[in-house]
Amino acid sequence: MSYYPLTTIPDYYNMDALLSEEHLLIRASVRSWVESFVMPVIDEHAQNHTDIPNLMQELGNIGALGPYIPEEYGGAGLDQISYGIIMQELERGDSAVRSAASVQSSLVMFPIFEYGSEEQKKKFLPQLAAGTMIGSFGLTEPNHGSDPSSMETYFVDKGDHYLLNGAKMWITNSPVCDIAVIWAKDEEGKVRGLIVERGMEGFTTPTTNNKWSLRASKTGELVFSDVKVPKENLLPNISGLKGPLSCLNSARYGISWGVIGAAIDCYCTALQYGKERKQFGRPIAGFQLQQKKLAEFLTEITKAQLLCLQLGNLKNAHKATPAQISMAKRNNVKMAIDIARESRQILGGMGIMGEFPMMRHAANLESVITYEGTHDVHLLITGMDITGINAFN
């Protein structure tokens, strides 16, 4: 036994009835691509710590990069539920694949579209949407992760250009990026966004090696040593932490959908294995302890699906709050990592083998539960929202 193609998605509460025909068509299309392009090779790339060749252009071909960006800038002009569904299907393949699309869409294309000049939008967005240009996002620093307000990366005005210095780390796609959207402080201490392009002198992107997680994805640093950034590369329409935090809100929303895909992959594999694997003369799915696990998996997946669907409705209506998005990211990632760990037990020793996805998903989700705000930080965001008291200070 090995990878099981998914013929039906768990839909215990008939959520499909709440989706449009377009949503269902998008899901079927992306699912088919994942099963043909990602599933057959993902274990090999994760084991060998290599990324999937031509991944970004393939994602561009299926419309998974910036799908909510208007068509005039190369996007598909889809709604937020469509974006979530795409992220869910991609992460069923692997968190590294969803991360690549999520970073490109929410952390690179989103700020250029929302805060960039018309010239920046026309120059960068169509290529990013096609996957012919790869972007990365620089906020986290070696000394500042959960506290971005203390960032040390800075730039100064030199008349006809800005001079940028500093470093960012834990950056998805940094070793292969063509541009990076960087958040740095100006001379007044205000956080601003800059588009740094590959080839600018003093800009380097060292690779982060020896990861146990997201092994089918390139991770690295962004290092700036007296980098001359043209003034036209400053994002003109945003100042302050609202800029990067709004990007994180978009990314966290995509993650909250994406991890459902990882959980579904683990649940469906465990369910089918449990029906086929026989011990003591009958399928192990017939034993109470295994049924308890499977019932809990389906319950948690269903709750996460409904949470994301309503959050998507709020996003479409421009009513979703950062705290609501934070809750969904925290809840759903914890749900997914718990299912990955527990479903591995149903498979026994086979659960640690590369032919099955549980260990790979569990390892990936250790990164997902940490990036875009740790589990504990998201608890404090909810706590502050319901009490009105800031526990960060």
Side-chain angles (χ1 to χ4, degrees), residues 113-170:
F113 175 70
E114 287 290 326
Y115 309 126
S117 66
E118 190 64 23
E119 292 74 18
Q120 290 169 344
K121 294 176 188 179
K122 291 179 178 178
K123 178 180 179 180
F124 296 112
L125 289 178
Q127 295 181 77
L128 290 165
T132 55
M133 175 180 283
I134 300 174
S136 63
F137 171 87
L139 180 63
T140 298
E141 297 186 353
N143 295 324
H144 307 287
S146 298
D147 180 19
S149 63
S150 298
M151 70 173 66
E152 299 171 30
T153 301
Y154 70 96
F155 65 96
V156 295
D157 191 332
K158 290 295 184 179
D160 61 345
H161 66 272
Y162 299 115
L163 200 64
L164 176 66
N165 282 279
K168 305 291 183 177
M169 72 182 306
W170 307 120

Side-chain angles (χ1 to χ4, degrees), residues 374-391:
T374 68
H375 182 80
D376 289 348
V377 163
H378 284 297
L379 282 169
L380 297 184
I381 291 173
T382 303
M384 181 170 62
D385 195 50
I386 61 180
T387 65
I389 303 170
N390 184 353

Side-chain angles (χ1 to χ4, degrees), residues 167-391:
K168 305 291 183 177
M169 72 182 306
W170 307 120
I171 309 300
T172 295
N173 278 344
S174 87
V176 295
C177 71
D178 300 295
I179 66 168
V181 174
I182 301 303
W183 300 93
K185 289 182 177 178
D186 63 16
E187 292 167 89
E188 297 177 355
K190 293 181 180 178
V191 175
R192 303 299 303 271
L194 295 165
I195 301 172
V196 181
E197 300 178 58
R198 175 75 67 181
M200 290 182 175
E201 188 176 353
F203 174 40
T204 56
T205 57
T207 300
T208 300
N209 295 307
N210 300 321
K211 298 181 299 176
W212 286 112
S213 182
L214 298 178
R215 289 175 57 86
S217 171
K218 286 283 193 298
T219 306
E221 303 173 47
L222 302 169
V223 181
F224 317 102
S225 179
D226 288 337
V227 179
K228 293 181 180 180
V229 182
K231 287 199 166 179
E232 59 265 27
N233 283 30
L234 178 77
L235 295 178
N237 300 318
I238 192 66
S239 175
L241 276 175
K242 176 185 176 182
L245 294 182
S246 67
C247 300
L248 293 178
N249 283 333
S250 181
R252 290 165 178 170
Y253 168 74
I255 290 168
S256 70
W257 277 91
V259 294
I260 297 173
I264 286 171
D265 195 32
C266 293
Y267 164 76
C268 290
T269 303
L271 176 60
Q272 187 160 347
Y273 186 93
K275 289 179 177 180
E276 295 180 7
R277 173 69 170 173
K278 291 184 178 180
Q279 292 290 285
F280 305 103
R282 59 180 174 142
I284 62 172
F287 291 97
Q288 290 182 354
L289 284 175
Q290 307 309 325
Q291 290 194 4
K292 174 181 181 293
K293 289 186 178 75
L294 292 167
E296 289 175 342
F297 297 166
L298 181 58
T299 301
E300 294 306 313
I301 288 170
T302 301
K303 287 156 62 177
Q305 288 173 322
L306 294 170
L307 186 66
C308 274
L309 180 61
Q310 175 58 8
L311 185 60
N313 289 329
L314 292 170
K315 283 275 286 179
N316 282 338
H318 304 287
K319 293 181 179 179
T321 68
Q324 289 170 330
I325 295 170
S326 173
M327 176 183 284
K329 192 270 185 183
R330 170 182 55 82
N331 180 83
N332 290 7
V333 179
K334 182 64 163 58
M335 172 276 299
I337 199 170
D338 286 347
I339 288 177
R341 292 166 176 167
E342 287 294 308
S343 63
R344 203 285 310 159
Q345 293 193 52
I346 293 177
L347 272 66
M350 292 301 294
I352 71 168
M353 299 301 293
E355 290 86 350
F356 296 97
M358 284 75 164
M359 288 290 285
R360 175 170 49 81
H361 282 308
N364 286 338
L365 290 165
E366 289 290 349
S367 291
V368 181
I369 205 169
T370 302
Y371 67 33
E372 317 289 352
T374 68
H375 182 80
D376 289 348
V377 163
H378 284 297
L379 282 169
L380 297 184
I381 291 173
T382 303
M384 181 170 62
D385 195 50
I386 61 180
T387 65
I389 303 170
N390 184 353

